[in-house]
Amino acid sequence: MVPQLYIGIMSGTSLDGIDLVLTDFTTKPSLLGSCLIPFPASLQRELRSLAEPGNNEVERIGPAEHQLAECYAAGVKQLLKQVNYLPEQISAIGCHGQTIRHRPNQLQPFTMQLGNMHLLAALTGIRVIADFRRKDMAYGGQGAPLVPAFHQAVFAKAGKNRAVVNIGGIANISLLQADGTITGYDTGPGNCLMDDWVSLHRQLPYDKDGAFSAEGELLPELLQQLLADDYFQLSAPKSTGREYFHLGWLRQKLTGLEAPADVQRTLSRFTALSIANELQLPNLSEVFICGGGVHHPVLMADLQQLLTPAKVQSSSSAGVDPDWVEAMAFAWLAQAFDKQLPGNVPAVTGARKACVLGVSYSP
């Protein structure tokens, strides 16, 4: 049997770095290796800036895409060296790209993920599958989230109602029901507001071990204001991004008199509630958490409190490392493209039909 080896690359809205995995799909998905490549500080700042409306964006996008492809390629080379594989042994790279805009609800909906995929293929010598979202949007879908199909393949169990929650910059859920049906959508902010707030007040990239949140007290009035946003009243399918939930959005809700630690504690509860409110399902038995949020003890404790009696646990309990689930999902989408299998779930995205997602870029 010829090995089916795919690299998955994911750089999400948290902008904490580039996740890369090597996954073997010869039988069941098997993680062979992984690595995290930090963004150069200047590129991280530029990508964060491009995620919000600004000046001279077209002129700035070109260099950002070039540098991003170089970072992706450096990560691929590091990963292959780490696992002792050669480029010619890899079937393809599945690359999500870096989202800077996601506007699925406009009259002319669009989404934009940066990354010069031709350059990535040229630098690595490996075929690249990318541009996964726009085919779904062409058929009326939200273009996101795209991980539920992978979640179903890995986490679903007949006869059990399960949920998978990915808490990256934005949080998304996959509801895997006992009868085999699946739904899912973006619930709202995951770590993005917490990361931005701790960066502003503690000059830290994220709230390590939930320490900043643990210092604060809940602000009930602020919490209610945050939850009153129109996004949480929308019916699924729905998706969002950092271009909507950012510091400017948060500042509009503040008086300026709040203690920074109290705001951080409230943001943690806000993320937990915006997720838990969407998981109030009868007979929900297990909730698997993946993404950076799994390492935030305050957030995890809030989720367990809000979702009891369901058991809230890391995806590692199902044999999938929580830090690499999304990158594995895009490796899975690349092999689905090669097999000409649908990569979207219309019940999740709202697309008119199931589609093969992606575009192939040859080296």
Side-chain angles (χ1 to χ4, degrees):
M1 186 177 293
V2 178
Q4 297 179 36
L5 306 178
Y6 288 81
I7 289 174
I9 301 178
M10 179 66 192
S11 54
T13 50
S14 63
L15 285 168
D16 56 352
I18 303 165
D19 294 335
L20 299 102
V21 297
L22 177 61
T23 307
D24 185 352
F25 292 102
T26 308
T27 53
K28 64 178 183 178
S30 177
L31 182 64
L32 302 183
S34 59
C35 67
L36 171 65
I37 305 297
F39 282 116
S42 59
L43 179 59
Q44 185 184 54
R45 286 193 299 269
E46 181 69 341
L47 292 173
R48 195 179 297 275
S49 175
L50 285 168
E52 299 179 29
N55 295 323
N56 205 21
E57 290 175 323
V58 173
E59 196 70 29
R60 291 160 54 206
I61 281 173
E65 281 205 301
H66 192 106
Q67 190 177 1
L68 188 58
E70 291 178 332
C71 290
Y72 287 157
V76 169
K77 291 174 183 177
Q78 178 176 317
L79 176 64
L80 291 178
K81 182 178 180 180
Q82 180 180 308
V83 295
N84 198 28
Y85 279 88
L86 298 172
E88 51 267 31
Q89 293 176 277
I90 308 303
S91 299
I93 296 168
C95 185
H96 175 268
Q98 183 63 49
T99 300
I100 62 165
R101 287 291 189 286
H102 186 61
R103 307 290 196 196
N105 298 315
Q106 294 188 168
L107 184 60
Q108 289 86 28
F110 74 97
T111 190
M112 181 175 289
Q113 287 72 47
L114 297 189
N116 186 332
M117 301 305 167
H118 286 292
L119 180 59
L120 176 58
L123 291 174
T124 60
I126 302 171
R127 187 166 53 93
V128 176
I129 313 298
D131 194 7
F132 293 102
R133 292 192 184 202
R134 291 197 291 181
K135 182 69 170 288
D136 181 85
M137 293 184 75
Y139 283 94
Q142 293 271 315
L146 295 180
V147 292
F150 176 69
H151 288 165
Q152 185 176 42
V154 175
F155 294 99
K157 186 172 183 180
K160 281 191 174 289
N161 289 318
R162 289 177 160 183
V164 182
V165 183
N166 176 68
I167 309 177
I170 297 297
N172 58 70
I173 59 173
S174 298
L175 305 175
L176 311 173
Q177 299 187 45
D179 62 2
T181 60
I182 176 173
T183 57
Y185 46 90
D186 289 350
T187 57
N191 303 312
C192 62
L193 294 175
M194 291 190 286
D195 289 350
D196 287 351
W197 191 251
V198 75
S199 176
L200 180 65
H201 290 279
R202 296 291 174 89
Q203 291 73 54
L204 296 171
Y206 62 97
D207 188 8
K208 183 173 173 59
D209 298 325
F212 193 20
S213 296
E215 292 177 20
E217 300 290 335
L218 279 174
L219 300 173
E221 289 186 10
L222 174 60
L223 182 60
Q224 290 308 310
Q225 283 190 63
L226 299 175
L227 289 167
D229 188 87
D230 289 345
Y231 182 78
F232 305 107
Q233 319 313 317
L234 294 175
S235 300
K238 60 180 181 177
S239 55
T240 188
R242 184 183 282 275
E243 71 281 351
Y244 187 94
F245 290 108
H246 51 76
L247 275 180
W249 177 89
L250 174 61
R251 287 189 176 109
Q252 293 175 357
K253 320 290 184 183
L254 301 176
T255 65
L257 300 176
E258 298 89 352
D262 292 348
V263 174
Q264 187 75 5
R265 176 66 186 95
T266 303
L267 288 173
S268 172
R269 186 72 170 190
F270 169 50
T271 289
L273 265 171
S274 62
I275 293 167
N277 286 345
E278 304 299 328
L279 295 179
Q280 300 303 317
L281 304 173
N283 303 316
L284 179 64
S285 60
E286 295 173 291
V287 179
F288 297 101
I289 310 294
C290 55
V294 76
H295 303 297
H296 195 296
V298 177
L299 176 57
M300 290 292 285
D302 280 349
L303 284 168
Q304 182 60 81
Q305 180 191 43
L306 294 165
L307 290 169
T308 297
K311 183 178 181 181
V312 177
Q313 58 202 309
S314 165
S315 64
S316 61
S317 62
V320 187
D321 190 310
D323 292 323
W324 309 112
V325 172
E326 278 210 302
M328 287 180 70
F330 283 92
W332 184 88
L333 283 166
Q335 65 89 36
F337 173 89
D338 280 348
K339 292 181 177 180
Q340 290 295 284
L341 297 174
N344 64 338
V345 179
V348 170
T349 66
R352 292 189 294 275
K353 70 173 190 175
C355 310
V356 176
L357 303 181
V359 175
S360 180
Y361 299 81
S362 299

